[in-house]
Coordinates of all heavy atoms in Angstrom, one line a residue:
M76 N -2.0 -13.7 12.1 CA -2.1 -13.0 10.8 C -1.4 -11.6 11.0 O -1.6 -10.9 12.0 CB -3.5 -12.8 10.4 CG -4.2 -14.1 10.1 SD -5.7 -14.0 9.1 CE -6.8 -13.4 10.4
P77 N -0.7 -11.2 10.0 CA 0.0 -9.9 10.1 C -1.0 -8.7 10.0 O -1.9 -8.7 9.2 CB 0.9 -9.9 8.9 CG 0.4 -10.8 7.9 CD -0.3 -11.9 8.7
T78 N -0.8 -7.8 10.9 CA -1.7 -6.6 10.9 C -1.1 -5.5 10.1 O 0.1 -5.3 10.0 CB -2.0 -6.1 12.3 OG1 -0.8 -5.7 12.9 CG2 -2.7 -7.2 13.1
I79 N -2.0 -4.7 9.5 CA -1.6 -3.5 8.8 C -2.4 -2.3 9.4 O -3.6 -2.4 9.6 CB -2.0 -3.5 7.3 CG1 -1.5 -4.8 6.6 CG2 -1.4 -2.3 6.5 CD1 -2.1 -5.0 5.2
T80 N -1.7 -1.2 9.6 CA -2.5 0.0 10.0 C -2.4 1.0 8.7 O -1.4 1.4 8.3 CB -1.9 0.7 11.2 OG1 -1.9 -0.1 12.3 CG2 -2.6 2.0 11.5
F81 N -3.6 1.2 8.2 CA -3.8 2.2 7.1 C -4.1 3.5 7.7 O -5.0 3.6 8.6 CB -4.9 1.7 6.1 CG -4.6 0.5 5.3 CD1 -5.0 -0.7 5.7 CD2 -3.8 0.7 4.1 CE1 -4.7 -1.8 4.9 CE2 -3.5 -0.4 3.3 CZ -3.9 -1.7 3.7
V82 N -3.4 4.5 7.2 CA -3.6 5.9 7.7 C -4.2 6.7 6.6 O -3.6 6.8 5.5 CB -2.3 6.6 8.2 CG1 -2.7 8.0 8.7 CG2 -1.7 5.7 9.3
S83 N -5.4 7.2 6.7 CA -6.1 8.0 5.7 C -5.5 9.4 5.7 O -4.9 9.8 6.6 CB -7.6 8.1 6.0 OG -8.2 6.8 5.9
P84 N -5.6 10.1 4.5 CA -5.1 11.4 4.5 C -5.5 12.4 5.6 O -4.8 13.3 6.0 CB -5.5 11.9 3.1 CG -5.7 10.6 2.3 CD -6.2 9.6 3.3
D85 N -6.7 12.1 6.1 CA -7.2 13.0 7.2 C -6.7 12.5 8.6 O -7.1 13.0 9.6 CB -8.8 13.0 7.2 CG -9.4 11.7 7.6 OD1 -8.7 10.7 7.8 OD2 -10.7 11.6 7.6
G86 N -5.9 11.5 8.6 CA -5.3 11.0 9.9 C -6.1 9.8 10.5 O -5.6 9.2 11.5
T87 N -7.2 9.5 10.0 CA -8.0 8.3 10.5 C -7.2 7.0 10.3 O -6.6 6.9 9.2 CB -9.3 8.2 9.8 OG1 -10.0 9.4 9.8 CG2 -10.2 7.1 10.4
T88 N -7.2 6.2 11.3 CA -6.5 4.9 11.1 C -7.4 3.7 11.1 O -8.5 3.8 11.6 CB -5.5 4.7 12.3 OG1 -6.2 4.7 13.5 CG2 -4.4 5.8 12.3
H89 N -7.0 2.7 10.3 CA -7.8 1.5 10.2 C -6.8 0.4 10.4 O -5.9 0.2 9.5 CB -8.4 1.4 8.8 CG -9.1 2.6 8.4 ND1 -10.5 2.8 8.6 CD2 -8.7 3.8 7.8 CE1 -10.9 4.0 8.1 NE2 -9.8 4.6 7.6
R90 N -7.0 -0.4 11.4 CA -6.0 -1.5 11.7 C -6.8 -2.8 11.3 O -7.9 -3.1 11.8 CB -5.7 -1.5 13.2 CG -4.5 -2.5 13.5 CD -4.0 -2.2 14.9 NE -2.9 -3.1 15.2 CZ -3.1 -4.2 16.0 NH1 -4.3 -4.5 16.4 NH2 -2.1 -5.0 16.2
V91 N -6.2 -3.6 10.4 CA -6.8 -4.8 9.9 C -5.8 -5.9 9.8 O -4.6 -5.7 9.8 CB -7.4 -4.5 8.5 CG1 -8.5 -3.5 8.5 CG2 -6.3 -4.1 7.5
A92 N -6.3 -7.1 9.8 CA -5.4 -8.3 9.8 C -5.5 -8.9 8.4 O -6.6 -9.1 7.8 CB -5.9 -9.3 10.8
A93 N -4.3 -9.1 7.8 CA -4.2 -9.6 6.4 C -4.3 -11.2 6.4 O -3.6 -11.8 7.3 CB -2.9 -9.2 5.8
A94 N -5.0 -11.7 5.5 CA -4.9 -13.2 5.3 C -3.6 -13.6 4.8 O -2.9 -12.8 4.1 CB -6.0 -13.6 4.3
P95 N -3.1 -14.8 5.1 CA -1.8 -15.2 4.7 C -1.7 -15.1 3.2 O -2.5 -15.6 2.4 CB -1.7 -16.6 5.2 CG -2.6 -16.7 6.3 CD -3.7 -15.8 6.0
G96 N -0.6 -14.4 2.7 CA -0.4 -14.3 1.3 C -1.2 -13.2 0.5 O -0.9 -13.0 -0.6
A97 N -2.1 -12.6 1.2 CA -2.9 -11.5 0.6 C -2.0 -10.3 0.4 O -1.1 -10.1 1.1 CB -4.1 -11.2 1.4
S98 N -2.3 -9.5 -0.6 CA -1.6 -8.2 -0.7 C -2.2 -7.2 0.2 O -3.4 -7.3 0.7 CB -1.7 -7.8 -2.2 OG -3.0 -7.3 -2.5
A99 N -1.5 -6.1 0.4 CA -2.0 -5.0 1.2 C -3.2 -4.4 0.6 O -4.2 -4.0 1.2 CB -0.9 -4.0 1.5
M100 N -3.3 -4.3 -0.8 CA -4.4 -3.8 -1.5 C -5.6 -4.7 -1.3 O -6.7 -4.2 -0.9 CB -4.1 -3.7 -3.0 CG -5.3 -3.1 -3.8 SD -6.5 -4.4 -4.3 CE -5.6 -5.3 -5.5
E101 N -5.5 -6.0 -1.4 CA -6.6 -6.9 -1.3 C -7.1 -6.8 0.2 O -8.4 -6.9 0.4 CB -6.1 -8.4 -1.5 CG -5.8 -8.6 -3.0 CD -5.0 -9.9 -3.2 OE1 -4.4 -10.4 -2.3 OE2 -5.1 -10.4 -4.4
T102 N -6.3 -6.7 1.1 CA -6.7 -6.6 2.5 C -7.5 -5.3 2.7 O -8.5 -5.3 3.4 CB -5.4 -6.6 3.4 OG1 -4.7 -7.8 3.1 CG2 -5.8 -6.6 4.9
A103 N -7.0 -4.2 2.2 CA -7.8 -2.9 2.3 C -9.1 -3.0 1.7 O -10.1 -2.6 2.3 CB -6.9 -1.8 1.7
V104 N -9.2 -3.5 0.5 CA -10.5 -3.7 -0.2 C -11.4 -4.6 0.6 O -12.6 -4.3 0.8 CB -10.3 -4.2 -1.7 CG1 -11.6 -4.5 -2.3 CG2 -9.6 -3.1 -2.5
K105 N -10.9 -5.7 1.1 CA -11.7 -6.6 1.8 C -12.4 -6.0 3.0 O -13.6 -6.2 3.3 CB -10.9 -7.8 2.3 CG -11.6 -8.8 3.1 CD -10.6 -9.9 3.6 CE -11.3 -10.9 4.5 NZ -10.4 -11.9 5.0
F106 N -11.7 -5.1 3.7 CA -12.2 -4.5 4.9 C -12.8 -3.1 4.6 O -13.2 -2.4 5.6 CB -11.1 -4.4 6.0 CG -10.7 -5.7 6.6 CD1 -9.6 -6.4 6.1 CD2 -11.5 -6.2 7.6 CE1 -9.3 -7.7 6.7 CE2 -11.2 -7.5 8.1 CZ -10.1 -8.2 7.7
G107 N -12.9 -2.7 3.4 CA -13.5 -1.4 3.1 C -12.8 -0.2 3.5 O -13.4 0.8 3.8
V108 N -11.4 -0.3 3.6 CA -10.6 0.8 3.9 C -10.8 1.9 2.8 O -10.5 1.6 1.7 CB -9.2 0.4 4.1 CG1 -8.3 1.7 4.4 CG2 -9.0 -0.6 5.2
P109 N -11.3 3.1 3.2 CA -11.5 4.1 2.2 C -10.2 4.6 1.6 O -9.2 4.7 2.3 CB -12.3 5.2 2.9 CG -12.0 5.0 4.4 CD -11.7 3.5 4.5
G110 N -10.2 4.9 0.3 CA -9.1 5.5 -0.3 C -8.2 4.6 -1.1 O -7.4 5.0 -2.0
I111 N -8.4 3.3 -0.9 CA -7.7 2.3 -1.7 C -8.7 1.7 -2.7 O -9.6 1.0 -2.3 CB -7.1 1.1 -0.9 CG1 -6.1 1.6 0.2 CG2 -6.5 0.0 -1.8 CD1 -4.7 1.9 -0.4
V112 N -8.5 2.0 -4.0 CA -9.5 1.7 -5.0 C -9.2 0.3 -5.6 O -10.0 -0.6 -5.6 CB -9.5 2.7 -6.1 CG1 -10.5 2.3 -7.2 CG2 -9.8 4.1 -5.5
G113 N -7.9 0.1 -6.0 CA -7.5 -1.2 -6.5 C -8.3 -1.5 -7.8 O -8.7 -2.7 -8.0
E114 N -8.4 -0.6 -8.7 CA -9.2 -0.7 -9.9 C -8.9 -1.8 -10.8 O -9.8 -2.5 -11.3 CB -9.1 0.6 -10.6 CG -10.1 0.8 -11.7 CD -10.0 2.3 -12.3 OE1 -10.6 3.2 -11.6 OE2 -9.4 2.4 -13.3
C115 N -7.6 -2.1 -10.9 CA -7.2 -3.2 -11.9 C -7.1 -4.6 -11.2 O -6.7 -5.5 -11.8 CB -5.9 -2.8 -12.5 SG -4.4 -3.0 -11.5
G116 N -7.5 -4.6 -9.9 CA -7.5 -5.9 -9.2 C -6.1 -6.4 -8.9 O -5.9 -7.6 -8.7
G117 N -5.1 -5.6 -8.9 CA -3.7 -6.0 -8.6 C -2.9 -6.3 -9.9 O -1.8 -6.9 -9.8
G118 N -3.4 -5.9 -11.0 CA -2.7 -6.2 -12.3 C -1.6 -5.2 -12.7 O -1.1 -5.3 -13.8
L119 N -1.3 -4.3 -11.7 CA -0.2 -3.4 -12.0 C -0.5 -2.5 -13.2 O 0.3 -2.2 -14.0 CB 1.1 -4.1 -12.2 CG 2.4 -3.4 -11.8 CD1 2.3 -2.9 -10.4 CD2 3.6 -4.2 -12.0
A120 N -1.8 -2.1 -13.3 CA -2.2 -1.3 -14.4 C -3.0 0.0 -14.1 O -3.5 0.6 -15.0 CB -3.0 -2.2 -15.3
C121 N -3.0 0.4 -12.8 CA -3.9 1.5 -12.5 C -3.3 2.5 -11.5 O -3.6 3.7 -11.6 CB -5.2 1.0 -12.0 SG -5.2 0.3 -10.3
A122 N -2.4 2.1 -10.6 CA -1.9 2.9 -9.6 C -2.9 3.5 -8.7 O -2.7 4.6 -8.1 CB -1.0 4.0 -10.2
T123 N -4.1 2.9 -8.5 CA -5.1 3.4 -7.6 C -5.0 2.7 -6.2 O -6.0 2.6 -5.5 CB -6.5 3.2 -8.1 OG1 -6.8 1.8 -8.3 CG2 -6.7 3.9 -9.5
C124 N -3.8 2.2 -5.9 CA -3.5 1.6 -4.6 C -2.2 2.2 -4.0 O -1.5 1.5 -3.3 CB -3.4 0.1 -4.8 SG -2.1 -0.4 -5.9
H125 N -2.0 3.4 -4.4 CA -0.7 4.1 -4.0 C -0.7 4.4 -2.5 O -1.6 5.0 -2.0 CB -0.6 5.4 -4.8 CG 0.6 6.2 -4.6 ND1 0.7 7.5 -5.1 CD2 1.7 5.9 -3.9 CE1 1.9 8.0 -4.8 NE2 2.5 7.1 -4.0
V126 N 0.3 3.9 -1.8 CA 0.5 4.1 -0.4 C 1.9 4.6 -0.2 O 2.8 4.4 -1.0 CB 0.2 2.9 0.4 CG1 -1.3 2.5 0.4 CG2 1.1 1.7 0.0
F127 N 2.1 5.2 1.0 CA 3.5 5.6 1.5 C 3.8 4.7 2.7 O 3.1 4.7 3.7 CB 3.5 7.1 1.9 CG 3.1 8.0 0.8 CD1 1.8 8.6 0.9 CD2 3.9 8.3 -0.3 CE1 1.4 9.5 -0.1 CE2 3.5 9.1 -1.3 CZ 2.3 9.7 -1.2
V128 N 4.8 3.9 2.5 CA 5.3 3.1 3.7 C 5.9 4.0 4.7 O 6.6 4.9 4.4 CB 6.3 2.0 3.2 CG1 6.8 1.2 4.3 CG2 5.7 1.1 2.1
D129 N 5.6 3.7 6.0 CA 6.3 4.5 7.1 C 7.8 4.5 6.8 O 8.4 3.4 6.6 CB 6.0 3.8 8.4 CG 6.5 4.5 9.6 OD1 7.8 4.7 9.6 OD2 5.7 4.9 10.5
P130 N 8.4 5.6 6.8 CA 9.9 5.7 6.5 C 10.7 4.7 7.3 O 11.7 4.2 6.8 CB 10.2 7.1 6.7 CG 8.9 7.9 6.5 CD 7.9 7.0 7.0
D131 N 10.3 4.5 8.6 CA 11.1 3.6 9.4 C 10.9 2.1 9.0 O 11.6 1.3 9.5 CB 10.6 3.7 10.9 CG 11.0 5.1 11.5 OD1 11.9 5.7 10.9 OD2 10.4 5.5 12.4
Q132 N 9.9 1.9 8.1 CA 9.6 0.5 7.8 C 9.9 0.1 6.3 O 9.7 -1.0 5.9 CB 8.1 0.2 8.1 CG 7.8 0.3 9.5 CD 6.3 0.1 9.7 OE1 5.4 0.3 8.9 NE2 5.9 -0.4 10.9
I133 N 10.4 1.1 5.6 CA 10.7 0.9 4.2 C 11.7 -0.2 4.0 O 11.7 -1.0 3.0 CB 11.1 2.2 3.4 CG1 11.0 2.0 1.9 CG2 12.4 2.7 3.8 CD1 9.6 1.8 1.3
G134 N 12.6 -0.4 4.9 CA 13.5 -1.5 4.8 C 12.9 -2.9 4.9 O 13.5 -3.9 4.5
R135 N 11.7 -2.9 5.5 CA 11.0 -4.2 5.7 C 10.3 -4.6 4.4 O 10.2 -5.8 4.0 CB 10.0 -4.1 6.8 CG 10.7 -3.9 8.2 CD 9.7 -3.7 9.3 NE 8.8 -4.8 9.5 CZ 7.7 -4.8 10.2 NH1 7.3 -3.6 10.7 NH2 7.0 -5.8 10.4
T136 N 9.7 -3.6 3.7 CA 9.0 -3.9 2.5 C 9.9 -3.9 1.3 O 9.6 -4.5 0.3 CB 7.8 -2.9 2.2 OG1 8.4 -1.6 2.0 CG2 6.8 -2.9 3.3
G137 N 11.0 -3.1 1.4 CA 11.8 -2.8 0.2 C 11.1 -1.7 -0.6 O 9.9 -1.5 -0.5
P138 N 11.9 -1.1 -1.4 CA 11.4 0.0 -2.3 C 10.6 -0.6 -3.5 O 10.6 -1.9 -3.7 CB 12.6 0.7 -2.8 CG 13.7 -0.4 -2.8 CD 13.4 -1.3 -1.6
A139 N 10.0 0.2 -4.2 CA 9.2 -0.2 -5.4 C 10.2 -0.8 -6.4 O 11.3 -0.3 -6.6 CB 8.5 1.0 -6.0
A140 N 9.8 -1.9 -7.1 CA 10.6 -2.4 -8.2 C 10.5 -1.5 -9.4 O 9.7 -0.6 -9.4 CB 10.0 -3.8 -8.5
D141 N 11.4 -1.8 -10.4 CA 11.4 -0.9 -11.5 C 10.1 -0.7 -12.2 O 9.6 0.4 -12.5 CB 12.5 -1.4 -12.5 CG 13.9 -1.2 -12.0 OD1 14.1 -0.5 -11.0 OD2 14.8 -1.8 -12.6
F142 N 9.4 -1.8 -12.5 CA 8.1 -1.8 -13.2 C 7.1 -1.1 -12.4 O 6.2 -0.4 -12.9 CB 7.6 -3.2 -13.6 CG 7.6 -4.1 -12.4 CD1 6.4 -4.2 -11.7 CD2 8.6 -5.0 -12.1 CE1 6.3 -5.1 -10.6 CE2 8.6 -5.9 -11.1 CZ 7.4 -5.9 -10.3
E143 N 7.2 -1.2 -11.0 CA 6.2 -0.5 -10.1 C 6.5 1.0 -10.1 O 5.6 1.8 -10.2 CB 6.5 -1.1 -8.7 CG 5.4 -0.9 -7.7 CD 5.7 -1.5 -6.4 OE1 6.5 -2.5 -6.4 OE2 5.2 -1.0 -5.4
E144 N 7.8 1.4 -10.2 CA 8.1 2.8 -10.2 C 7.6 3.4 -11.5 O 7.1 4.6 -11.4 CB 9.6 2.9 -10.2 CG 10.2 3.1 -8.8 CD 11.7 3.4 -8.8 OE1 12.2 3.7 -9.9 OE2 12.3 3.4 -7.7
E145 N 7.6 2.7 -12.6 CA 7.0 3.3 -13.8 C 5.5 3.6 -13.6 O 5.1 4.6 -14.1 CB 7.2 2.3 -15.0 CG 8.7 2.2 -15.4 CD 8.9 1.2 -16.5 OE1 7.9 0.8 -17.1 OE2 10.0 0.7 -16.6
M146 N 4.8 2.7 -13.0 CA 3.4 3.0 -12.7 C 3.2 4.2 -11.8 O 2.3 5.0 -12.0 CB 2.7 1.8 -12.1 CG 2.3 0.6 -13.1 SD 1.3 1.2 -14.5 CE -0.1 1.8 -13.6
L147 N 4.1 4.2 -10.8 CA 3.9 5.3 -9.8 C 4.2 6.7 -10.4 O 3.7 7.7 -9.9 CB 4.9 5.0 -8.6 CG 4.4 4.0 -7.6 CD1 5.6 3.5 -6.8 CD2 3.3 4.5 -6.8
E148 N 5.0 6.7 -11.4 CA 5.3 8.0 -12.1 C 4.0 8.6 -12.7 O 3.9 9.8 -12.8 CB 6.3 7.8 -13.2 CG 7.7 7.6 -12.6 CD 8.7 7.2 -13.7 OE1 8.4 7.3 -14.9 OE2 9.8 6.8 -13.3
D149 N 3.0 7.7 -13.0 CA 1.7 8.2 -13.5 C 0.6 8.3 -12.5 O -0.5 8.6 -12.8 CB 1.2 7.3 -14.6 CG 2.1 7.3 -15.9 OD1 2.7 8.4 -16.1 OD2 2.3 6.3 -16.6
A150 N 1.0 8.1 -11.2 CA 0.0 8.2 -10.1 C -0.5 9.6 -10.0 O 0.2 10.6 -10.3 CB 0.6 7.7 -8.8
E151 N -1.8 9.7 -9.5 CA -2.4 11.0 -9.3 C -1.6 11.8 -8.2 O -1.6 13.1 -8.3 CB -3.8 10.8 -8.8 CG -4.8 10.4 -9.9 CD -5.0 11.4 -11.0 OE1 -5.2 12.6 -10.7 OE2 -4.9 11.1 -12.2
T152 N -1.1 11.2 -7.2 CA -0.3 11.9 -6.2 C 1.2 11.6 -6.5 O 1.5 10.4 -6.7 CB -0.7 11.3 -4.8 OG1 -2.0 11.6 -4.5 CG2 0.2 12.0 -3.7
A153 N 2.0 12.6 -6.5 CA 3.4 12.4 -6.8 C 4.1 11.4 -5.9 O 3.8 11.5 -4.6 CB 4.1 13.8 -6.7
P154 N 4.8 10.5 -6.4 CA 5.5 9.5 -5.5 C 6.6 10.1 -4.8 O 7.2 11.1 -5.1 CB 5.9 8.4 -6.6 CG 6.1 9.2 -7.8 CD 5.1 10.3 -7.8
T155 N 7.0 9.4 -3.7 CA 8.1 9.7 -2.9 C 9.0 8.4 -2.8 O 8.6 7.4 -3.3 CB 7.7 10.1 -1.4 OG1 7.3 8.9 -0.7 CG2 6.6 11.1 -1.4
P156 N 10.2 8.5 -2.2 CA 11.0 7.3 -2.1 C 10.3 6.2 -1.2 O 10.7 5.0 -1.3 CB 12.3 7.8 -1.4 CG 12.3 9.2 -1.8 CD 10.9 9.7 -1.8
C157 N 9.3 6.5 -0.5 CA 8.5 5.5 0.3 C 7.3 5.1 -0.4 O 6.5 4.3 0.2 CB 8.2 6.1 1.7 SG 9.7 6.3 2.7
S158 N 7.0 5.5 -1.6 CA 5.8 5.1 -2.3 C 5.9 3.6 -2.7 O 6.9 3.1 -3.2 CB 5.6 5.9 -3.6 OG 5.2 7.2 -3.3
R159 N 4.8 2.9 -2.6 CA 4.6 1.6 -3.1 C 3.2 1.5 -3.6 O 2.3 2.2 -3.2 CB 4.8 0.5 -2.0 CG 6.2 0.4 -1.4 CD 7.2 -0.2 -2.4 NE 6.8 -1.4 -3.1 CZ 7.0 -2.6 -2.7 NH1 7.6 -2.9 -1.6 NH2 6.5 -3.7 -3.4
L160 N 3.0 0.5 -4.5 CA 1.6 0.1 -4.9 C 1.2 -1.0 -3.9 O 1.9 -2.0 -3.8 CB 1.6 -0.4 -6.3 CG 1.9 0.7 -7.4 CD1 2.0 0.2 -8.8 CD2 0.8 1.8 -7.3
A161 N 0.1 -0.8 -3.2 CA -0.2 -1.8 -2.2 C -0.5 -3.2 -2.7 O -0.4 -4.2 -2.0 CB -1.5 -1.3 -1.4
C162 N -0.8 -3.3 -4.0 CA -1.1 -4.6 -4.6 C 0.2 -5.4 -4.8 O 0.2 -6.6 -5.0 CB -1.8 -4.5 -5.9 SG -0.9 -3.7 -7.3
Q163 N 1.3 -4.7 -4.6 CA 2.6 -5.3 -4.8 C 3.3 -5.7 -3.5 O 4.4 -6.2 -3.4 CB 3.5 -4.5 -5.7 CG 3.0 -4.2 -7.1 CD 2.7 -5.5 -7.8 OE1 3.5 -6.3 -8.0 NE2 1.4 -5.6 -8.3
I164 N 2.6 -5.4 -2.4 CA 3.1 -5.7 -1.1 C 2.4 -7.0 -0.6 O 1.2 -6.9 -0.2 CB 2.9 -4.6 0.0 CG1 3.6 -3.3 -0.5 CG2 3.4 -5.0 1.3 CD1 3.3 -2.1 0.4
R165 N 3.1 -8.1 -0.7 CA 2.5 -9.4 -0.3 C 2.7 -9.5 1.2 O 3.9 -9.4 1.7 CB 3.3 -10.5 -1.0 CG 2.6 -11.8 -1.1 CD 1.2 -11.8 -1.7 NE 1.0 -11.3 -3.0 CZ -0.2 -11.2 -3.6 NH1 -1.3 -11.5 -3.0 NH2 -0.3 -10.7 -4.8
M166 N 1.7 -9.7 2.0 CA 1.8 -9.7 3.4 C 2.3 -11.1 3.9 O 1.7 -12.1 3.7 CB 0.4 -9.4 4.1 CG -0.1 -8.0 3.8 SD 1.1 -6.7 4.3 CE 1.2 -7.0 6.1
T167 N 3.4 -11.0 4.7 CA 4.0 -12.2 5.3 C 4.1 -11.9 6.8 O 4.0 -10.7 7.2 CB 5.4 -12.4 4.7 OG1 6.2 -11.2 4.9 CG2 5.3 -12.8 3.2
P168 N 4.3 -12.9 7.6 CA 4.3 -12.7 9.1 C 5.4 -11.6 9.5 O 5.1 -10.8 10.4 CB 4.7 -14.0 9.6 CG 4.1 -15.0 8.6 CD 4.3 -14.3 7.3
D169 N 6.5 -11.5 8.7 CA 7.5 -10.5 9.1 C 7.1 -9.1 8.8 O 7.8 -8.1 9.2 CB 8.8 -10.9 8.5 CG 8.7 -11.0 7.0 OD1 7.8 -11.6 6.5 OD2 9.6 -10.3 6.3
L170 N 5.9 -8.9 8.1 CA 5.5 -7.5 7.9 C 4.4 -7.1 8.9 O 3.8 -6.1 8.8 CB 4.9 -7.4 6.5 CG 6.0 -7.4 5.4 CD1 5.3 -7.3 4.0 CD2 7.0 -6.3 5.6
D171 N 4.2 -7.9 10.0 CA 3.2 -7.6 11.0 C 3.5 -6.2 11.6 O 4.7 -5.9 11.9 CB 3.3 -8.7 12.1 CG 2.3 -8.4 13.2 OD1 1.1 -8.1 12.8 OD2 2.6 -8.5 14.4
G172 N 2.5 -5.4 11.7 CA 2.7 -4.1 12.2 C 3.0 -3.0 11.2 O 3.3 -1.9 11.6
L173 N 2.9 -3.3 10.0 CA 3.2 -2.4 8.9 C 2.2 -1.2 8.9 O 1.0 -1.4 9.2 CB 3.0 -3.1 7.5 CG 3.6 -2.4 6.3 CD1 5.1 -2.2 6.4 CD2 3.2 -3.2 5.1
T174 N 2.7 0.0 8.7 CA 1.9 1.2 8.6 C 2.0 1.8 7.2 O 3.1 2.0 6.7 CB 2.4 2.2 9.7 OG1 2.2 1.7 11.0 CG2 1.5 3.5 9.6
L175 N 0.9 2.0 6.6 CA 0.8 2.5 5.2 C -0.1 3.7 5.2 O -1.3 3.6 5.6 CB 0.2 1.4 4.3 CG 1.0 0.1 4.2 CD1 0.3 -0.9 3.4 CD2 2.4 0.3 3.7
T176 N 0.4 4.8 4.7 CA -0.4 6.0 4.6 C -1.0 6.1 3.2 O -0.2 5.9 2.2 CB 0.4 7.3 4.9 OG1 0.8 7.2 6.3 CG2 -0.4 8.5 4.7
I177 N -2.2 6.2 3.1 CA -2.9 6.2 1.7 C -2.7 7.6 1.0 O -2.9 8.6 1.6 CB -4.4 6.0 1.9 CG1 -4.6 4.6 2.6 CG2 -5.2 6.0 0.6 CD1 -6.0 4.4 3.2
A178 N -2.3 7.5 -0.2 CA -2.1 8.7 -1.0 C -3.4 9.5 -1.1 O -4.4 8.9 -1.3 CB -1.5 8.4 -2.4
P179 N -3.3 10.8 -1.0 CA -4.6 11.6 -1.0 C -5.4 11.5 -2.3 O -6.6 11.6 -2.2 CB -4.1 13.0 -0.8 CG -2.6 13.0 -0.8 CD -2.1 11.6 -0.8
R180 N -4.8 11.3 -3.4 CA -5.5 11.2 -4.7 C -5.1 9.9 -5.3 O -3.9 9.6 -5.5 CB -5.3 12.4 -5.6 CG -5.8 13.7 -5.1 CD -5.7 14.8 -6.1 NE -4.3 14.9 -6.7 CZ -3.3 15.4 -6.0 NH1 -3.4 15.9 -4.8 NH2 -2.1 15.4 -6.6
Q181 N -6.0 9.1 -5.8 CA -5.7 7.8 -6.4 C -6.0 7.9 -7.9 O -6.9 8.5 -8.3 CB -6.5 6.7 -5.8 CG -6.2 6.5 -4.3 CD -4.8 5.8 -4.1 OE1 -4.1 5.4 -5.0 NE2 -4.4 5.7 -2.9
Ligands
FES1165 FE1 -4.0 -1.5 -9.9 FE2 -2.4 -1.9 -7.7 S1 -4.5 -2.3 -7.9 S2 -1.8 -1.1 -9.7

C-alpha cells in the first residue's frame, strides 16, 4: 500500500498507508491526521483538505486541475504552485512515499 507522510504546520509528521484507490484526504481522515477536515467528503466543495505537495514530488501528482484551482483560490490559506486538494489526489502505488504538508488554516 502506498504510504503518505503528512506534515502538520508545527512540523509533526504522520506516516500512514493508503488503501488502494483511496484519496489522500480519505486516508488522513481515516487515521485521524489533525488538520485535514474534509468537510464535503471529497465533493470538491469546501477546500478543507488543502495540502502542499513536496516541491520535489509535484511532478508525480501533477498540479491542481482547473476546477480544483478555482476552489483553492477560496481556501483559508493562500495557495502556492504546489497546492492541491487532498481529496483530488487518488493514491496509486506510484505515489508511494508522497509527502504532503497540511495548510495551516483550512
Ligand atoms: Fe472538500 Fe476536498 S474534502 S474539497
Side-chain angles (χ1 to χ4, degrees):
M76 293 198 286
T78 63
I79 312 170
T80 299
F81 289 98
V82 182
S83 295
D85 68 0
T87 307
T88 59
H89 309 267
R90 190 165 180 264
V91 294
S98 73
M100 178 279 287
E101 291 166 336
T102 305
V104 170
K105 176 181 175 184
F106 288 98
V108 175
I111 299 282
V112 180
E114 193 171 279
C115 76
L119 207 55
C121 71
T123 62
C124 60
H125 183 188
V126 294
F127 303 106
V128 178
D129 184 301
D131 292 339
Q132 298 179 331
I133 192 70
R135 295 171 67 194
T136 63
D141 288 347
F142 54 88
E143 196 180 335
E144 270 187 7
E145 288 175 20
M146 283 302 303
L147 282 164
E148 285 170 14
D149 293 330
E151 288 291 316
T152 300
T155 75
C157 291
S158 286
R159 293 292 313 268
L160 294 174
C162 66
Q163 301 303 304
I164 301 174
R165 199 53 63 184
M166 293 306 297
T167 55
D169 56 311
L170 289 180
D171 183 42
L173 192 63
T174 299
L175 301 174
T176 297
I177 301 166
R180 291 184 313 283
Q181 297 285 356

